[in-house]
Amino acid sequence: MRMSRLVAAAGLAAGLAVSMAVPALAHITFADPNAPSNGFYRAVLRVPHGCDGSATTAIRIQIPEGFIVAQPMPKPGWQVTVTEGSYGKSYKYEDTTISRGVKEIAWAGGNLPDNFYDEFVFRVRVTDIAPGTKVYFPVVQECGSKTEHWIEIPAEGKSDDDYEYPAPGLTIGAPAGDDD
């Protein structure tokens, strides 16, 4: 009897240690955290909850340098807007050179209850970013009068799990063929 209690206590302690080591899954993340260099990427932004009990009413995501011709997917019940601006440099795209494009995508006016999950989708062209590079997309989540800023970018030697509000990130992989 005493041995079974020791085994049960050890199992409970091990379970607690493992659960503490596993990162919280409450962050806003990409469904596929890997994107090809020099190809299109279908970004599925996962929003697992609202803000401290309040429903999500808006999501805004910044499109970082090196990601061009971003196209948001319409979402029923949400108004989609894009903010355009100048890129830091010019990029070759098809038969032209472009130096401006979408810098932010926003979905607003919807209602995603705190205990529900949803996804926000856009397509973007990855330029010649070096494979192995991790790129972050700052996100602002609005929930009525509450706001959560998923904008923390890990410092050298840190990981996303070291932060309370990490920006969702993508790791760039080998070039892939276009899938326009």
Side-chain angles (χ1 to χ4, degrees):
M1 182 74 151
R2 186 168 190 200
M3 183 60 132
S4 63
R5 283 188 187 163
L6 286 173
V7 169
L12 179 60
L16 286 172
V18 168
S19 69
M20 285 188 221
V22 174
L25 298 177
H27 302 317
I28 292 180
T29 59
F30 286 113
D32 180 357
N34 301 294
S37 179
N38 284 318
F40 276 96
Y41 171 72
R42 183 178 185 266
V44 178
L45 190 66
R46 300 183 299 190
V47 179
H49 60 75
C51 313
D52 296 324
S54 297
T56 299
T57 56
I59 293 287
R60 292 189 324 265
I61 184 166
Q62 287 183 9
I63 308 301
E65 188 68 28
F67 294 82
I68 61 173
V69 296
Q71 299 172 294
M73 181 180 283
K75 187 167 195 57
W78 297 77
Q79 179 182 359
V80 182
T81 58
V82 296
T83 302
E84 292 192 1
S86 296
Y87 296 135
K89 66 178 196 173
S90 295
Y91 297 95
K92 279 291 256 186
Y93 177 66
E94 294 181 350
D95 294 330
T96 188
T97 300
I98 58 173
S99 58
R100 290 184 54 80
V102 175
K103 302 293 284 180
E104 182 180 271
I105 299 171
W107 291 266
N111 186 319
L112 174 58
D114 182 47
N115 59 336
F116 282 43
Y117 161 91
D118 206 348
E119 297 175 335
F120 296 79
V121 181
F122 63 96
R123 185 177 90 140
V124 66
R125 169 76 183 193
V126 183
T127 61
D128 59 352
I129 299 170
T133 302
K134 187 142 186 192
V135 183
Y136 292 89
F137 290 68
V139 173
V140 174
Q141 178 183 19
E142 296 178 19
C143 304
S145 62
K146 298 176 183 178
T147 303
E148 290 187 353
H149 296 88
W150 300 94
I151 62 172
E152 296 173 323
I153 297 173
E156 186 72 30
K158 299 268 186 178
S159 76
D160 301 356
D161 296 329
D162 294 322
Y163 295 88
E164 186 174 0
Y165 294 99
L170 292 177
T171 300
I172 306 303
D178 280 344
D179 57 352
D180 290 336

